Amino acid sequence: MNNRPFDLLNDAIDKEVLVVLKGNNQVRGTLKAFDVHMNLHLENASQLVDGEMKTKYGKVMVRGDSVVMISPQI
Amino acid sequence: MNNRPFDLLNDAIDKEVLVVLKGNNQVRGTLKAFDVHMNLHLENASQLVDGEMKTKYGKVMVRGDSVVMISPQI
Amino acid sequence: MNNRPFDLLNDAIDKEVLVVLKGNNQVRGTLKAFDVHMNLHLENASQLVDGEMKTKYGKVMVRGDSVVMISPQI
Amino acid sequence: MNNRPFDLLNDAIDKEVLVVLKGNNQVRGTLKAFDVHMNLHLENASQLVDGEMKTKYGKVMVRGDSVVMISPQI
Amino acid sequence: MNNRPFDLLNDAIDKEVLVVLKGNNQVRGTLKAFDVHMNLHLENASQLVDGEMKTKYGKVMVRGDSVVMISPQI
Amino acid sequence: MNNRPFDLLNDAIDKEVLVVLKGNNQVRGTLKAFDVHMNLHLENASQLVDGEMKTKYGKVMVRGDSVVMISPQI
Amino acid sequence: MNNRPFDLLNDAIDKEVLVVLKGNNQVRGTLKAFDVHMNLHLENASQLVDGEMKTKYGKVMVRGDSVVMISPQI
């Protein structure tokens, strides 16, 4: 059992995550790293707007300040 | 009787909570963990928009900065 | 006479308060606890939108960051 | 002559003030207390929307974060 | 020559300034005091909306957090 | 070669800069001073809305919190 | 393998990056410097709105507070 919310991110390293951003945008990709501000490093990332894929990124750094939710896709 | 607002979250561990987010979105799920920033770890989570279920998540980490209210569903 | 704004909340413990939130939403309920960030623990709470009751909550924790005004209903 | 902006609030204790809030709402009432975050305790307060009185409150605590301007009505 | 932006405010004490606020509102008045958060004390102040005078205030304290720009009217 | 983003501002002192503000407003003027919060002192400044000049200011202090981008016009 | 999100920016120095800003604006350019607040110094920069190039800048400093995502274009 996890005891802190960040443990959930720790368990998601190298797994696919769905990141909901402010403004209802979403980014999906493989979580490679995160820090205490919830800044994220994703690989094989793509941006979704209203659920549809809009842009393919390779690597992307997401600023924690823009994050609403992060869901590991297991 | 509780003396601090966070005691309410402590009592809600392993129970279902409704989380109202900025922008009138809501997430419902079982509270597994929280921290002092009100970051939350939910399981069996689903997102509601205007009261209707929109997306099912499994595990989800909600960023405290996006939270408006948290209501334990007892 | 009160000397600090938070004294008003202290006097309102166990009394009904009306909380105006950002986005013109309102929550009404019995104040059970608060902290220095203006996080609130309310019981018998209900949410009002444009003055009309929308949702009944039992217990609710309101995040201080979302609060505009708090008015004890005396 | 005042030397710091907060001196203006100090001189306004027990006097009527008009408080302009984010979102063009206004609250009018007698200033009883304030703190360094510009949190305010008002009495005999009423909320104005677009210049017209909308709601009468008795006591109200206004969160400093929501304040745009405070004008003592002398 | 000034070396820090706040020196511009120091030179504007007792002079008229135009203050652009978030949301395209403007306040004009005589600068009497300011602090490090850019909180301002203005006298003979009036609020302008879309360039037209909307409300006359006497004294007003403007919260620094709402300020976009301050222009001394020399 | 610069090593820190603020070095770019240091090199732009006494030169013309274009400042993009939140809300798509822009200010153009000669950079006289800046501080660590990105507060700016501009001279011969003018405000542009949607690329067209709207208002001429003489001196202006721009609050760093409102800044999106600063581009030296070389 | 990277261990911290900022390592991704470190590896992107002197390479082209796409920066997604709040409000769906984008800036593209060569990353020359960044700091811990995610302030960026770009060269040969251009602003894109809805995916189309809108303005060419030479050098530009982007304020970290406005950044949503940064993607190295490799």
Side-chain angles (χ1 to χ4, degrees), chain C residues 16-54:
Chain C
E16 191 167 338
V17 296
L18 176 68
V19 184
V20 178
L21 301 173
K22 292 179 184 167
N24 270 333
N25 287 351
Q26 297 181 328
V27 183
R28 197 185 271 274
T30 307
L31 183 66
K32 299 307 283 183
F34 66 91
D35 64 20
V36 70
H37 304 290
M38 233 178 272
N39 297 320
L40 309 173
H41 166 186
L42 304 178
E43 304 237 333
N44 302 315
S46 51
Q47 188 186 7
L48 296 86
V49 176
D50 296 324
E52 289 182 37
M53 201 208 290
K54 194 180 153 196

Side-chain angles (χ1 to χ4, degrees), chain E residues 4-69:
Chain E
R4 296 167 304 176
F6 274 98
D7 290 340
L8 188 63
L9 294 191
N10 218 40
D11 294 348
I13 288 287
D14 288 323
K15 301 204 175 106
E16 190 168 339
V17 295
L18 176 69
V19 184
V20 178
L21 302 173
K22 291 178 186 170
N24 269 334
N25 287 351
Q26 296 181 328
V27 184
R28 197 185 272 273
T30 307
L31 183 67
K32 298 308 283 184
F34 65 91
D35 63 20
V36 69
H37 303 290
M38 233 178 272
N39 296 320
L40 308 173
H41 166 186
L42 303 179
E43 303 237 335
N44 302 315
S46 51
Q47 189 186 7
L48 296 88
V49 176
D50 296 325
E52 289 182 37
M53 201 207 290
K54 192 181 154 193
T55 317
K56 280 197 108 154
Y57 301 107
K59 301 161 187 287
V60 72
M61 182 181 182
V62 177
R63 193 162 191 264
D65 181 52
S66 295
V67 171
V68 175
M69 294 191 294

Side-chain angles (χ1 to χ4, degrees), chain A residues 15-50:
Chain A
K15 302 202 174 109
E16 192 167 339
V17 295
L18 176 69
V19 184
V20 177
L21 301 173
K22 291 177 185 170
N24 270 334
N25 287 351
Q26 297 181 327
V27 183
R28 197 185 271 274
T30 307
L31 183 66
K32 300 307 282 185
F34 66 91
D35 64 21
V36 69
H37 304 290
M38 233 178 270
N39 296 320
L40 308 173
H41 166 185
L42 303 178
E43 304 237 333
N44 302 314
S46 51
Q47 189 186 5
L48 296 87
V49 176
D50 296 323

Side-chain angles (χ1 to χ4, degrees), chain D residues 24-57:
Chain D
N24 269 333
N25 287 351
Q26 297 181 328
V27 184
R28 198 185 271 273
T30 307
L31 183 67
K32 300 307 283 184
F34 66 91
D35 64 20
V36 70
H37 303 291
M38 233 179 273
N39 296 320
L40 308 174
H41 167 186
L42 303 178
E43 304 237 333
N44 302 315
S46 51
Q47 189 186 6
L48 296 87
V49 175
D50 295 325
E52 290 182 36
M53 201 208 289
K54 193 181 154 194
T55 317
K56 279 198 109 154
Y57 301 108

